[in-house]
Amino acid sequence: MRNYMKLEIPSKSVNEAFARAAVGAFAAQTDLDINELADIKTSVSEAVTNSIIHGYRDAEGVVYIECEIKAGKNCVVSVTVRDEGTGIANVERAMEPLFTTAPDEERSGMGFTVMQSFMDTLDVVSEKGKGTTVKMSKYIHSREGGGEII
Amino acid sequence: MKCEIEQIGGSLVVKLGGEIDQHCAEEIRGDIDRELDIKKSSSLIIDLGDVEFMDSSGLGLIMGRYKKMAGRGGTIMLARPKPNVDRLLEMSGIKKLIGRNKTKE
């Protein structure tokens, strides 16, 4: 069984909490455990924060969030976070732990590292001036009854 | 988000609660730094016991306070992180930076 949702939010930092809560609530229809839920919510928070503070910086734009659940024996929760902001010049470099373009603002530079650690797959596509798309997914490890939608 | 600050002896004790993300990290940072500068505290204890959610913005906040305290010869201690927050701290390597003996369960 497949299920999905789409969400559009303006790039206001107050929406970070809403975005992760919305994705978390949607993903909760699988029988994921509390750690898997926390991993997804934290990763969504990182991706949305990146779009807001790096993608759009001082301008306001739209952050597009999609979440898809493929339930069944091999249950997967996939989340795509997309912006039409400045884009990342060097994705490989941006994904290095502790790399930050804004050291004065006390960014930890750990956003992509968190996504890599907490999700099972992470794919970042970015083009300077066009925006960034982050696609990540997490396998919901089946317990009794597997990853059926409940 | 909750941020209660109290000076106990030479230590500044900061009780954080709720959700810590980029939206509120700046306000917390400002509150802590202001008190640290006024009280000249030699140690900073951040009580994470009531923090339900934290992302890497919280790590940036803690790293920044660690640098500030280290720069003045002081210490920092993290207390009572919930399991999901503790996993983030563990993954980031920040616990090794601060020192295991300084992280109270």
Side-chain angles (χ1 to χ4, degrees):
Chain A
M1 184 181 160
R2 176 180 174 266
N3 198 6
Y4 70 92
M5 69 92 162
K6 295 182 181 187
L7 193 65
E8 266 185 43
I9 50 168
S11 59
K12 298 176 190 295
S13 65
V14 70
N15 285 332
E16 291 160 7
F18 170 70
R20 63 178 177 260
V23 173
F26 185 74
Q29 63 190 271
T30 69
D31 70 344
L32 80 184
D33 66 25
I34 195 164
N35 286 334
E36 290 163 338
L37 180 63
D39 289 351
I40 292 171
K41 286 177 74 175
T42 309
S43 300
V44 169
S45 198
E46 301 295 350
V48 171
T49 300
N50 275 354
S51 286
I52 292 171
I53 61 175
H54 298 300
Y56 292 115
R57 282 246 140 218
D58 302 323
E60 189 171 303
V62 179
V63 182
Y64 304 88
I65 300 156
E66 291 182 33
C67 183
E68 184 187 27
I69 295 168
K70 282 186 191 142
K73 219 173 179 185
N74 302 306
C75 180
V76 186
V77 175
S78 304
V79 184
T80 304
V81 177
R82 181 172 65 86
D83 67 65
E84 293 163 343
T86 56
I88 303 167
N90 186 336
V91 172
E92 212 174 307
R93 193 152 169 250
M95 290 177 79
E96 288 172 9
L98 304 175
F99 175 80
T100 176
T101 51
D104 299 342
E105 296 170 29
E106 284 197 359
R107 308 271 173 238
S108 67
M110 293 295 283
F112 279 125
T113 308
V114 169
M115 291 181 243
Q116 269 170 332
S117 303
F118 287 178
M119 300 297 276
D120 292 310
T121 70
L122 175 68
D123 186 32
V124 182
V125 178
S126 190
E127 195 178 337
K128 199 95 182 108
K130 293 264 175 72
T132 301
T133 302
V134 172
K135 187 168 185 194
M136 49 197 169
S137 57
K138 189 157 188 78
Y139 302 109
I140 306 306
H141 295 106
S142 51
R143 287 163 293 284
E144 197 72 21
E148 294 297 332
I149 288 178
I150 51 174
Chain B
M1 180 273 288
K2 178 185 84 174
C3 179
E4 293 169 3
I5 304 178
E6 190 186 357
Q7 179 81 14
I8 301 174
S11 302
L12 194 72
V13 180
V14 179
K15 280 189 88 167
L16 297 179
E19 303 201 350
I20 298 174
D21 60 12
Q22 184 258 337
H23 180 64
C24 63
E26 201 167 320
E27 189 184 331
I28 297 171
R29 175 163 55 239
D31 289 351
I32 296 175
D33 284 0
R34 195 167 45 247
E35 289 299 316
L36 280 176
D37 292 342
I38 294 170
K39 305 279 173 39
K40 312 277 184 221
S41 319
S42 58
S43 83
L44 173 65
I45 299 169
I46 302 180
D47 182 351
L48 299 163
D50 294 331
V51 175
E52 304 294 336
F53 173 88
M54 189 173 98
D55 65 14
S56 71
S57 305
L59 295 176
L61 175 77
I62 293 169
M63 281 182 194
R65 307 292 68 65
Y66 165 76
K67 283 183 197 160
K68 190 178 171 86
M69 292 307 291
R72 57 158 79 174
T75 59
I76 180 169
M77 186 189 285
L78 305 176
R80 302 196 307 140
K82 286 187 193 292
N84 60 321
V85 174
D86 197 48
R87 284 174 67 224
L88 186 75
L89 295 172
E90 195 72 62
M91 188 223 77
S92 70
I94 207 166
K95 289 171 86 169
K96 282 185 189 140
L97 190 72
I98 291 175
R100 274 186 193 279
N101 56 332
K102 305 255 172 60
T103 310
K104 276 196 172 168
E105 296 304 324

